[in-house]
Amino acid sequence: MAPMRRKTLVVGNWKMNPGTLAEAKAIFLAIRRAADALTRTEALVCVPAPFIEALSRLARGHRIGVAAQDVFWRNGGAFTGEISPEMLRSVGATGVLVGHSERRREGESDEIVARKALAALREGLSVILCVGERARDPDGAYLPALKTQLLASLAGVSRRYLHALIVAYEPVFAVGASFKNALTPREAEEMAIFIKRVLTDEYGEESVRRIPILYGGSVYWKNAAGFVSDGAVAGLLAGRESLDVEDFRNILKEIDAA
Ligand code: PGA
Protein backbone atom coordinates (compact mmCIF):
# COMPACT_ATOMS: atom_id res chain seq x y z
CA MET A 1 0.00 0.00 0.00
CA ALA A 2 1.30 3.44 -0.87
CA PRO A 3 2.07 5.57 2.21
CA MET A 4 -0.70 7.99 3.06
CA ARG A 5 0.03 11.53 1.99
CA ARG A 6 0.00 13.88 4.93
CA LYS A 7 -2.55 16.63 4.51
CA THR A 8 -1.25 20.00 3.43
CA LEU A 9 -1.84 22.58 6.12
CA VAL A 10 -3.13 26.05 5.34
CA VAL A 11 -3.05 28.44 8.28
CA GLY A 12 -4.73 31.82 8.16
CA ASN A 13 -3.64 34.65 10.43
CA TRP A 14 -6.30 37.30 10.82
CA LYS A 15 -3.98 39.57 12.84
CA MET A 16 -5.96 42.31 14.67
CA ASN A 17 -9.01 41.94 12.41
CA PRO A 18 -11.95 42.10 11.92
CA GLY A 19 -13.38 44.72 14.28
CA THR A 20 -16.45 42.86 15.56
CA LEU A 21 -17.57 39.38 16.51
CA ALA A 22 -20.42 39.57 14.00
CA GLU A 23 -17.97 40.13 11.14
CA ALA A 24 -15.67 37.41 12.47
CA LYS A 25 -18.53 34.89 12.47
CA ALA A 26 -19.58 35.80 8.93
CA ILE A 27 -16.04 35.39 7.56
CA PHE A 28 -15.53 32.18 9.51
CA LEU A 29 -18.75 30.60 8.26
CA ALA A 30 -17.82 31.33 4.67
CA ILE A 31 -14.34 29.84 5.14
CA ARG A 32 -15.82 26.86 6.97
CA ARG A 33 -17.97 26.03 3.96
CA ALA A 34 -14.88 25.94 1.75
CA ALA A 35 -12.90 23.93 4.32
CA ASP A 36 -15.58 21.25 4.50
CA ALA A 37 -15.10 20.56 0.80
CA LEU A 38 -11.36 19.88 1.16
CA THR A 39 -10.01 16.38 0.90
CA ARG A 40 -6.23 16.73 1.02
CA THR A 41 -5.90 19.97 2.93
CA GLU A 42 -6.38 21.02 6.53
CA ALA A 43 -7.44 24.57 7.40
CA LEU A 44 -6.66 26.38 10.62
CA VAL A 45 -7.35 30.03 11.38
CA CYS A 46 -5.55 32.07 14.02
CA VAL A 47 -8.04 34.61 15.29
CA PRO A 48 -8.05 37.40 17.87
CA ALA A 49 -8.50 36.00 21.40
CA PRO A 50 -11.98 37.50 22.06
CA PHE A 51 -13.38 35.54 19.11
CA ILE A 52 -11.91 32.13 19.92
CA GLU A 53 -14.75 30.73 21.97
CA ALA A 54 -17.55 31.61 19.56
CA LEU A 55 -15.60 30.51 16.49
CA SER A 56 -14.47 27.22 17.98
CA ARG A 57 -18.12 26.41 18.67
CA LEU A 58 -18.81 27.04 15.00
CA ALA A 59 -15.86 24.82 14.08
CA ARG A 60 -17.13 21.77 15.96
CA GLY A 61 -17.85 18.90 13.61
CA HIS A 62 -16.29 20.74 10.66
CA ARG A 63 -12.96 20.46 8.90
CA ILE A 64 -11.47 23.63 10.25
CA GLY A 65 -9.63 24.49 13.44
CA VAL A 66 -9.34 27.66 15.48
CA ALA A 67 -6.07 28.83 16.99
CA ALA A 68 -4.78 31.87 18.86
CA GLN A 69 -2.17 34.39 17.76
CA ASP A 70 -0.20 34.64 20.98
CA VAL A 71 -0.07 33.20 24.49
CA PHE A 72 1.58 33.94 27.82
CA TRP A 73 4.31 31.64 29.09
CA ARG A 74 2.62 30.29 32.18
CA ASN A 75 -0.74 29.41 33.68
CA GLY A 76 -2.13 31.64 36.42
CA GLY A 77 -0.62 34.43 38.46
CA ALA A 78 -0.32 38.19 38.66
CA PHE A 79 0.10 38.97 34.95
CA THR A 80 -2.48 41.60 34.13
CA GLY A 81 -3.76 41.45 30.59
CA GLU A 82 -2.08 38.20 29.64
CA ILE A 83 -3.82 35.07 28.35
CA SER A 84 -2.62 31.66 29.49
CA PRO A 85 -2.34 28.39 27.55
CA GLU A 86 -4.94 26.86 29.86
CA MET A 87 -7.43 29.63 29.05
CA LEU A 88 -6.93 29.18 25.32
CA ARG A 89 -7.50 25.47 25.53
CA SER A 90 -10.56 25.89 27.71
CA VAL A 91 -12.30 28.04 25.09
CA GLY A 92 -11.53 25.63 22.27
CA ALA A 93 -8.27 26.77 20.67
CA THR A 94 -6.32 23.82 19.33
CA GLY A 95 -3.13 25.72 18.71
CA VAL A 96 -1.34 29.04 18.84
CA LEU A 97 1.06 31.11 16.77
CA VAL A 98 4.23 31.87 18.69
CA GLY A 99 6.94 34.32 17.73
CA HIS A 100 5.18 36.00 14.81
CA SER A 101 7.42 38.71 13.35
CA GLU A 102 4.85 41.35 14.26
CA ARG A 103 5.27 40.35 17.92
CA ARG A 104 9.03 40.09 17.66
CA ARG A 105 8.94 43.63 16.19
CA GLU A 106 7.25 44.74 19.44
CA GLY A 107 10.24 43.45 21.37
CA GLU A 108 9.55 39.77 21.93
CA SER A 109 12.88 37.99 22.33
CA ASP A 110 13.80 34.42 21.36
CA GLU A 111 13.87 33.61 25.07
CA ILE A 112 10.27 34.74 25.59
CA VAL A 113 9.22 32.95 22.41
CA ALA A 114 10.77 29.72 23.72
CA ARG A 115 9.00 30.03 27.07
CA LYS A 116 5.69 30.61 25.34
CA ALA A 117 6.21 27.69 22.97
CA LEU A 118 7.05 25.34 25.83
CA ALA A 119 4.10 26.46 27.98
CA ALA A 120 1.67 26.00 25.09
CA LEU A 121 3.07 22.59 24.15
CA ARG A 122 2.84 21.45 27.77
CA GLU A 123 -0.81 22.44 27.73
CA GLY A 124 -1.40 20.20 24.72
CA LEU A 125 -1.79 23.01 22.19
CA SER A 126 -0.07 22.79 18.87
CA VAL A 127 2.46 25.53 18.34
CA ILE A 128 3.04 27.26 15.05
CA LEU A 129 6.47 28.71 15.67
CA CYS A 130 7.32 31.59 13.34
CA VAL A 131 10.92 32.26 12.36
CA GLY A 132 12.54 34.20 9.56
CA GLU A 133 15.31 36.60 8.67
CA ARG A 134 14.69 40.34 8.41
CA ALA A 135 16.82 40.77 5.36
CA ARG A 136 19.26 38.84 3.22
CA ASP A 137 22.93 39.59 2.73
CA PRO A 138 24.91 38.41 -0.28
CA ASP A 139 27.32 36.46 1.94
CA GLY A 140 24.55 34.32 3.37
CA ALA A 141 25.05 35.38 7.01
CA TYR A 142 21.28 35.24 7.37
CA LEU A 143 21.48 31.45 7.41
CA PRO A 144 23.48 31.03 10.64
CA ALA A 145 21.39 33.87 12.14
CA LEU A 146 18.20 32.00 11.27
CA LYS A 147 19.65 28.84 12.78
CA THR A 148 20.37 30.70 16.01
CA GLN A 149 16.89 32.21 16.08
CA LEU A 150 15.24 28.83 15.48
CA LEU A 151 17.18 26.96 18.15
CA ALA A 152 16.89 29.79 20.68
CA SER A 153 13.13 29.91 20.07
CA LEU A 154 12.97 26.24 21.00
CA ALA A 155 15.27 26.39 24.03
CA GLY A 156 13.98 23.95 26.64
CA VAL A 157 11.57 22.21 24.25
CA SER A 158 12.34 18.51 24.42
CA ARG A 159 11.76 15.85 21.79
CA ARG A 160 8.57 14.61 23.33
CA TYR A 161 6.75 17.80 22.40
CA LEU A 162 7.80 17.88 18.80
CA HIS A 163 4.75 15.97 17.54
CA ALA A 164 2.73 19.15 18.18
CA LEU A 165 5.23 21.56 16.64
CA ILE A 166 4.79 23.28 13.29
CA VAL A 167 7.42 25.70 12.03
CA ALA A 168 6.32 28.61 9.86
CA TYR A 169 9.22 30.08 7.95
CA GLU A 170 8.42 33.70 7.14
CA PRO A 171 11.15 36.00 5.85
CA VAL A 172 10.21 39.31 7.47
CA PHE A 173 10.67 41.30 4.26
CA ALA A 174 7.88 39.25 2.67
CA VAL A 175 5.31 39.58 5.47
CA GLY A 176 2.56 42.07 4.68
CA ALA A 177 4.57 43.24 1.69
CA SER A 178 3.91 43.43 -2.02
CA PHE A 179 3.19 40.02 -3.50
CA LYS A 180 6.32 40.54 -5.58
CA ASN A 181 8.31 40.20 -2.35
CA ALA A 182 7.23 36.63 -1.73
CA LEU A 183 9.99 34.07 -2.09
CA THR A 184 9.96 31.83 -5.11
CA PRO A 185 8.82 28.26 -4.51
CA ARG A 186 12.41 27.14 -5.07
CA GLU A 187 13.78 29.53 -2.43
CA ALA A 188 11.07 28.52 0.06
CA GLU A 189 11.88 24.87 -0.54
CA GLU A 190 15.59 25.45 0.11
CA MET A 191 14.76 27.20 3.37
CA ALA A 192 12.41 24.40 4.47
CA ILE A 193 15.22 21.92 3.84
CA PHE A 194 17.66 24.12 5.76
CA ILE A 195 15.26 24.32 8.74
CA LYS A 196 14.72 20.56 8.71
CA ARG A 197 18.49 20.05 8.73
CA VAL A 198 18.99 22.38 11.70
CA LEU A 199 16.21 20.62 13.63
CA THR A 200 17.52 17.19 12.70
CA ASP A 201 21.03 18.04 13.94
CA GLU A 202 19.48 19.13 17.23
CA TYR A 203 16.81 16.49 17.82
CA GLY A 204 17.54 13.59 15.47
CA GLU A 205 15.81 12.45 12.32
CA GLU A 206 13.13 10.32 13.88
CA SER A 207 11.59 13.17 15.93
CA VAL A 208 11.88 15.77 13.18
CA ARG A 209 10.67 13.89 10.13
CA ARG A 210 7.02 14.72 10.69
CA ILE A 211 7.38 18.38 11.71
CA PRO A 212 5.57 20.41 9.04
CA ILE A 213 7.50 23.39 7.72
CA LEU A 214 5.19 26.07 6.33
CA TYR A 215 6.01 29.03 4.16
CA GLY A 216 4.48 32.42 4.90
CA GLY A 217 4.88 35.93 3.54
CA SER A 218 2.73 37.39 0.77
CA VAL A 219 1.04 34.17 -0.14
CA TYR A 220 -1.98 34.61 -2.40
CA TRP A 221 -4.06 32.29 -4.51
CA LYS A 222 -1.89 32.63 -7.59
CA ASN A 223 1.43 31.73 -5.97
CA ALA A 224 0.04 29.30 -3.34
CA ALA A 225 0.17 25.98 -5.17
CA GLY A 226 3.77 26.42 -6.34
CA PHE A 227 5.10 26.36 -2.79
CA VAL A 228 3.75 22.94 -1.92
CA SER A 229 4.27 21.16 -5.21
CA ASP A 230 7.56 19.51 -4.40
CA GLY A 231 6.87 18.36 -0.85
CA ALA A 232 9.56 20.15 1.20
CA VAL A 233 7.09 22.86 2.20
CA ALA A 234 4.19 21.19 4.03
CA GLY A 235 1.78 24.09 3.88
CA LEU A 236 1.26 27.83 4.02
CA LEU A 237 0.62 30.66 6.43
CA ALA A 238 -1.46 33.42 4.87
CA GLY A 239 -2.13 36.78 6.55
CA ARG A 240 -4.12 39.38 4.64
CA GLU A 241 -5.58 36.87 2.24
CA SER A 242 -7.12 34.83 5.05
CA LEU A 243 -9.56 37.66 5.81
CA ASP A 244 -10.73 37.98 2.27
CA VAL A 245 -13.19 35.14 1.91
CA GLU A 246 -12.88 34.80 -1.84
CA ASP A 247 -9.10 34.89 -1.79
CA PHE A 248 -8.71 32.46 1.09
CA ARG A 249 -11.17 30.05 -0.47
CA ASN A 250 -9.18 30.19 -3.66
CA ILE A 251 -5.96 29.46 -1.77
CA LEU A 252 -7.62 26.43 -0.15
CA LYS A 253 -8.90 25.20 -3.49
CA GLU A 254 -5.55 25.66 -5.23
CA ILE A 255 -3.75 23.80 -2.47
CA ASP A 256 -6.25 20.99 -2.41
CA ALA A 257 -5.80 20.51 -6.13
CA ALA A 258 -1.99 20.80 -6.05
P1 PGA B 1 0.86 38.23 4.74
O1 PGA B 1 1.14 37.90 6.29
O2 PGA B 1 0.32 36.94 4.14
O3 PGA B 1 -0.15 39.30 4.75
O4 PGA B 1 2.16 38.62 4.12
C1 PGA B 1 1.73 36.72 6.68
C2 PGA B 1 1.60 36.52 8.18
O5 PGA B 1 0.82 37.17 8.86
O6 PGA B 1 2.28 35.70 8.72
Side-chain angles (χ1 to χ4, degrees), residues 96-141:
V96 59
L97 283 178
V98 174
H100 192 277
S101 56
E102 288 157 12
R103 299 216 53 85
R104 292 180 184 266
R105 188 182 69 200
E106 299 301 318
E108 198 163 294
S109 64
D110 293 340
E111 192 203 330
I112 298 286
V113 171
R115 282 169 159 196
K116 290 182 168 186
L118 183 57
L121 289 165
R122 280 199 172 128
E123 191 60 40
L125 294 166
S126 40
V127 164
I128 304 139
L129 171 69
C130 303
V131 294
E133 70 277 18
R134 274 179 210 282
R136 290 189 163 192
D137 57 296
D139 301 328

Side-chain angles (χ1 to χ4, degrees), residues 58-93:
L58 294 178
R60 243 176 252 156
H62 293 270
R63 296 194 185 162
I64 186 164
V66 174
Q69 298 174 4
D70 187 29
V71 65
F72 194 60
W73 47 267
R74 55 169 283 174
N75 282 331
F79 299 98
T80 303
E82 301 290 357
I83 297 174
S84 69
E86 187 180 26
M87 290 170 186
L88 292 180
R89 200 166 57 84
S90 82
V91 292

